[in-house]
């Protein structure tokens, strides 16, 4: 049974910048997320380069459903539920590959690339030729579409078209990878689990407040270069006074409206981007190449603010785009306190062996199961999740109060998504949780669009 609207309203307060901790471990809420969010939203499945030839397939999660994304003989793409129409067994046990057809390992029902049932052992002798083959194919997702090579699907026939769902923020985020060249995914998706709620992993992708503390060891070891500000400011040593007069040091910009160092995009359906500008981030000692931002394609596809934005996009609910390291990550919910992390790594098709090797090296050591940053992050997310269960601890609200009420949103109706210029902030997170509440209410698409249209100030 759905959670009552009055209870939902109490879970997230945009005005106070507070969130009820129960949303990170409550199993009833998790079940409602699976149906109201993952059962309706457009979800990223894979990149077209992963399924280039007829018969190529890749298995991707859609909530608790597993979907085979299959390149067809005519060049099209289908999303087929990986469950046999006979007794439900998975018809494919591999995560990716190339096939001529899918044969179920239980009783041998066999489906072609389009999901049509083409073989049934004993069709004549046992079924007396009375089985309706056409009615027992693999079921297709409700809608499947691509944007700049990224394949998405939704289980909701009423969902708006993909490009509309993505909004200006989602489209800009994808462009920030696609615009860097003719991109392809490096073979091998990194997958691992972290015992945490998926929303902690999403919250963190906008979080430019934590690196200097959480990732101190990685910074000190030189695994991640500290940003250098070409304007001469010390980006890794922005002084912020603590309440006892002690000075904390933060990375990524000052929380001061007069000197905006960050751009935040907030968009319909809960998409957001938050992070530094090209000017403040610099090129990380040459590790990040921003030259693609001045190409004709980038000028056509991105507005002036998006061409300055270096931050991370979240395409609601769970697709993290990290353009500066050419990776995207899915935060796959497996349970209220269990999240599977998937990392896709991109390289330009024309990249030479050295560039490929360096890309893979970075992909292994920064994020992923052997990535220093994600192991440091994961510890915090696990502990934060555990503390939402305590009888007393769970009564304490989460605080997202940074720059609260000071984020003035500019929407000039141009190419750029609605944006805020400010210092380090928590607007991306707060917007994600406010939108999450609207999604969880199960309201129709028009109401959802209205409720997730950014306000004037956040
Ligand atoms: S469950 Fe697939 S053939 Fe029986
Ligand atoms: Fe981190």
């Amino acid at each position: 049974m759905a959670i009552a609207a009055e209870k939902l309203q109490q879970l997230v307060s945009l005005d106070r910048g507070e969130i009820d901790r129960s949303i990170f471990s409550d199993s009833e809420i998790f079940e409602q997320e699976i149906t109201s969010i993952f059962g309706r939203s457009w979800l990223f499945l894979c990149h077209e380069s992963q399924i280039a030839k007829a018969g190529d397939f890749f298995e991707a999660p859609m909530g608790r459903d597993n979907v085979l994304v299959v390149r067809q003989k005519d060049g099209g793409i289908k999303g087929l539920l990986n469950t046999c129409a006979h007794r439900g067994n998975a018809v494919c046990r591999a995560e990716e590959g190339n096939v001529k057809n899918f044969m179920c390992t239980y009783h041998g029902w066999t489906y072609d690339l389009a999901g049509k049932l083409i073989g049934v052992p004993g069709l004549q002798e046992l079924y007396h030729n009375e089985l309706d083959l056409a009615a027992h194919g693999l079921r297709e997702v409700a809608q499947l579409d691509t944007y700049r090579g990224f394949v998405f699907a939704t289980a909701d026939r009423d969902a708006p078209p993909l490009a509309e769902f993505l909004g200006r923020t989602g489209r800009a985020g994808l462009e920030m990878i696609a615009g860097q060249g003719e991109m392809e995914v490096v073979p091998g998706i990194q997958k691992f689990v972290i015992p945490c709620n998926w929303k902690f992993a999403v919250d963190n992708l906008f979080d430019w407040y934590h690196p200097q503390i959480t990732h101190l060891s990685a910074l000190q070891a030189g695994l991640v270069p500290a940003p250098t500000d070409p304007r001469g400011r010390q980006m890794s040593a922005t002084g912020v006074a603590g309440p006892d007069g002690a000075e904390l040091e933060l990375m990524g910009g000052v929380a001061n409206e007069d000197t905006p160092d960050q751009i935040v995009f907030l968009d319909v359906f809960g998409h957001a981007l938050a992070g530094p500008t090209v000017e403040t981030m610099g090129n990380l000692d040459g590790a990040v190449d921003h030259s693609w931002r001045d190409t004709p394609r980038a000028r056509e596809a991105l507005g002036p603010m998006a061409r300055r934005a270096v931050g991370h996009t979240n395409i609601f609910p769970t697709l993290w785009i990290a353009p500066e390291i050419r990776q995207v990550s899915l935060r796959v919910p497996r349970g209220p306190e269990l999240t599977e992390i998937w990392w896709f790594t991109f390289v330009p098709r024309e990249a030479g062996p050295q560039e490929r090797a360096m890309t893979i090296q970075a992909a292994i050591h920064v994020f992923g199961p052997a990535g220093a940053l994600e192991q440091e992050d994961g510890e915090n997310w696990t502990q934060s999740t555990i503390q939402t269960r305590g009888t007393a601890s769970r009564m304490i609200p989460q605080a997202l109060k940074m720059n609260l009420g000071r984020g003035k949103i500019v929407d000039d109706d141009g190419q750029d998504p609605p944006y805020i210029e400010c210092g380090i902030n928590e607007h991306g997170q707060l917007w994600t949780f406010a939108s999450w509440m609207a999604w969880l209410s199960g309201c129709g698409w028009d109401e959802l669009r209205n409720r997730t249209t950014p306000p004037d100030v956040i």
Side-chain angles (χ1 to χ4, degrees):
M1 203 168 66
I3 299 165
E6 307 80 65
K7 185 179 169 194
L8 278 178
Q9 292 297 334
Q10 291 164 10
L11 297 176
V12 178
S13 169
L14 260 185
D15 296 338
R16 294 195 308 279
E18 291 183 355
I19 294 170
D20 188 314
R21 285 191 187 183
S22 67
I23 73 169
F24 298 100
S25 47
D26 185 299
S27 54
E28 193 186 5
I29 285 177
F30 182 80
E31 288 307 316
Q32 192 145 326
E33 289 174 340
I34 292 294
T35 50
S36 298
I37 297 176
F38 295 92
R40 292 201 298 164
S41 176
W42 281 95
L43 299 167
F44 172 68
L45 303 179
C46 68
H47 188 258
E48 285 209 56
S49 63
Q50 295 175 267
I51 47 167
K53 303 186 300 295
D56 283 355
F57 72 91
F58 182 80
E59 190 192 44
M62 289 181 70
R64 287 208 186 90
D65 294 307
N66 292 321
V67 175
L68 296 165
V69 194
V70 188
R71 180 69 72 177
Q72 302 296 297
K73 287 182 178 151
D74 66 1
I77 300 170
K78 280 192 188 291
L80 307 170
L81 293 191
N82 188 5
T83 179
C84 182
H86 183 221
R87 288 288 198 283
N89 185 30
V91 297
C92 178
R93 301 296 181 86
E95 296 174 359
E96 56 190 302
N98 182 278
V99 290
K100 288 195 169 49
N101 50 47
F102 297 101
M103 190 196 80
C104 178
T105 54
Y106 201 166
H107 310 93
W109 284 24
T110 300
Y111 305 86
D112 71 8
L113 297 180
K116 207 169 132 210
L117 182 58
I118 53 168
V120 174
L123 183 62
Q124 193 173 348
E125 312 88 297
L126 307 176
Y127 284 98
H128 313 290
N129 261 335
E130 289 168 359
L131 183 70
D132 182 355
L133 298 186
H136 291 89
L138 297 179
R139 303 298 196 273
E140 272 191 68
V141 297
Q143 300 187 59
L144 183 144
D145 203 356
T146 66
Y147 189 86
R148 295 284 276 141
F150 293 81
V151 184
F152 289 75
T154 169
D156 188 348
R157 286 193 195 289
D158 297 328
L162 173 62
E164 185 187 332
F165 167 82
L166 292 170
R168 285 175 284 174
T169 301
R171 296 195 297 268
L174 295 177
E175 186 64 36
M176 286 176 187
I177 298 267
Q180 294 189 43
E182 198 185 335
M183 306 302 272
E184 61 183 22
V185 170
V186 173
I189 308 305
Q190 296 188 76
K191 303 174 183 175
F192 63 107
V193 292
I194 295 181
C196 71
N197 183 272
W198 66 274
K199 295 187 291 299
F200 276 117
V202 172
D203 174 311
N204 180 259
L205 72 89
F206 303 115
D207 192 315
W208 298 87
Y209 189 33
H210 79 287
Q212 182 119 339
I213 305 298
T214 297
H215 302 307
L216 189 60
S217 56
L219 283 163
Q220 285 180 337
L223 252 173
V224 224
T228 49
D229 183 346
R231 292 174 299 185
R233 278 193 267 163
Q234 290 180 289
M235 290 308 299
S236 59
T238 301
V240 175
D244 57 356
E247 184 141 296
L248 302 171
E249 291 188 347
L250 303 175
M251 181 178 78
V254 290
N256 179 340
E257 284 176 48
D258 299 331
T259 54
D261 285 317
Q262 298 224 341
I263 298 173
V264 185
F265 295 142
L266 305 179
D267 214 340
V268 289
F269 302 127
H271 313 306
L273 176 153
T277 61
V278 170
E279 296 90 332
T280 51
M281 179 62 98
N283 71 358
L284 289 178
D285 297 332
V288 178
D289 178 7
H290 294 301
S291 59
W292 66 273
R293 295 169 186 273
D294 280 325
T295 59
R297 165 75 212 180
R299 287 179 179 277
E300 189 188 323
L302 300 174
M305 299 307 289
R307 285 176 45 236
R308 284 178 62 203
V310 186
H312 298 157
T313 308
N314 187 52
I315 294 180
F316 192 92
T318 51
L319 179 62
W320 171 10
I321 300 169
E324 74 278 20
I325 51 172
R326 294 178 182 158
Q327 288 188 288
V328 304
S329 176
L330 277 178
R331 326 317 242 159
V332 185
R334 295 301 192 197
E337 298 175 45
L338 193 66
T339 301
E340 200 166 304
I341 310 284
W342 287 28
W343 279 102
F344 299 71
T345 304
F346 291 80
V347 284
R349 199 171 291 266
E350 70 276 10
Q354 196 180 356
E355 185 176 355
R356 275 173 195 272
M358 282 174 61
T359 301
I360 292 168
Q361 170 110 342
I364 289 171
H365 292 298
V366 178
F367 295 108
L373 295 198
E374 203 147 43
Q375 298 315 307
E376 293 167 339
D377 288 326
E379 273 299 307
N380 292 335
W381 306 340
T382 298
Q383 283 301 319
S384 298
T385 300
I386 289 170
Q387 308 315 324
T388 65
R389 276 198 259 117
T391 309
S393 307
R394 71 183 304 164
M395 304 308 287
I396 306 166
Q398 297 268 354
L400 291 95
K401 295 173 188 277
M402 193 179 290
N403 208 48
L404 188 64
R406 293 167 183 272
K408 296 189 187 64
I409 296 171
V410 180
D411 187 1
D412 55 14
D413 284 332
Q415 282 176 296
D416 278 316
Y419 66 88
I420 303 166
E421 282 191 280
C422 57
I424 294 176
N425 65 87
E426 291 174 337
H427 297 314
Q429 292 95 320
L430 200 52
W431 185 243
T432 299
F433 288 113
S435 304
W436 170 88
M437 188 171 61
W439 276 88
L440 213 62
S441 74
C443 63
W445 284 97
D446 286 342
E447 189 183 341
L448 187 59
R449 188 184 291 99
N450 287 338
R451 287 178 63 180
T452 55
T453 295
D456 297 332
V457 174
I458 184 170

